[in-house]
């Protein structure tokens, strides 16, 4: 139904809104398809270039057996001590760290167990001492003083 100012508030307005949404989503889909098409073309061109250059270039030259034997017999320069030290640390550090970590966990576990034993023994002695003190010699203990107004 049309209003006096010319706006359509009925089904026609809803339809035109849906048309705009459909048009916008169709434009986005078209843009995405164009991007995918362009990407495929570039990948194909790059693959062809790489394939052509690999086919036209000669294979890498490897030395013959004599060259390799001579190279193996020549003395190799000795690695600097700092590089050797870094290599030892690099290979041994993870193993050492693992051992130290496991030792630390075992140590803290043992300390915790020891503390529980000592604490239990102190608690037992406190209970036994309290029981012995109440039973033994009630007369040995000083009586609390009674203040003014109390019995005494």
């Amino acid at each position: 139904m049309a209003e006096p100012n010319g706006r359509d508030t009925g089904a026609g307005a809803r339809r035109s809104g849906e048309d705009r949404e459909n048009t916008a989503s169709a434009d986005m889909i078209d843009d995405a398809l164009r991007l995918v098409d362009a990407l495929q073309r570039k990948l194909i061109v790059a693959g062809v270039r790489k394939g052509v250059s690999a086919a036209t270039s000669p294979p890498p030259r490897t030395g013959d057996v004599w060259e390799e034997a001579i190279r193996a017999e020549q003395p190799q320069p000795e690695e600097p001590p700092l590089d050797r030290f870094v290599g030892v640390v690099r290979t041994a550090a993870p193993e050492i760290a693992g051992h130290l970590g496991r030792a630390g966990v075992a140590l803290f576990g043992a300390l915790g167990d020891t503390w529980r034993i000592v604490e239990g023994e102190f608690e037992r002695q406190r209970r036994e001492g309290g029981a012995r003190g109440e039973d033994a010699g009630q007369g040995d203990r000083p009586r609390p003083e009674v203040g003014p107004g109390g019995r005494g």
Side-chain angles (χ1 to χ4, degrees):
M1 180 172 267
E3 288 185 0
N5 62 4
R7 277 195 327 194
D8 189 10
T9 59
R14 275 185 255 124
R15 224 178 287 121
S16 66
E18 290 173 0
D19 289 342
R20 273 186 252 135
E21 288 177 11
N22 289 340
T23 304
S25 64
D27 288 342
M28 288 176 55
I29 292 172
D30 288 340
D31 290 343
L33 290 173
R34 275 188 239 117
L35 285 172
V36 168
D37 187 43
L39 179 63
Q40 285 178 340
R41 286 186 192 145
K42 289 187 180 196
L43 289 173
I44 290 171
V45 168
V48 168
R49 284 184 189 152
K50 189 175 185 180
V52 169
S53 66
T56 58
S57 64
R61 185 179 172 292
T62 57
D64 61 359
V65 177
W66 291 112
E67 286 180 25
E68 290 179 27
I70 290 172
R71 194 175 317 121
E73 287 181 3
Q74 291 177 349
Q76 299 296 323
E78 190 172 324
E79 192 175 15
L82 184 59
D83 289 345
R84 287 187 292 174
F85 173 73
V86 169
V88 168
V89 169
R90 189 179 304 124
T91 57
E95 186 176 349
I96 292 170
H99 288 307
L100 288 176
R102 287 187 294 278
V105 167
L107 175 66
F108 285 122
L111 287 174
D113 291 343
T114 303
W115 181 252
R116 279 191 287 280
I117 291 169
V118 168
E119 194 174 49
E121 182 62 24
F122 283 149
E123 182 67 25
R124 186 185 63 79
Q125 286 179 1
R126 187 180 60 80
R127 278 182 286 166
E128 287 178 2
R132 267 189 262 133
E134 290 174 6
D135 295 341
Q138 286 287 344
D140 295 345
R141 289 188 185 167
R143 285 184 30 199
E145 293 182 17
V146 177
R151 294 185 209 166

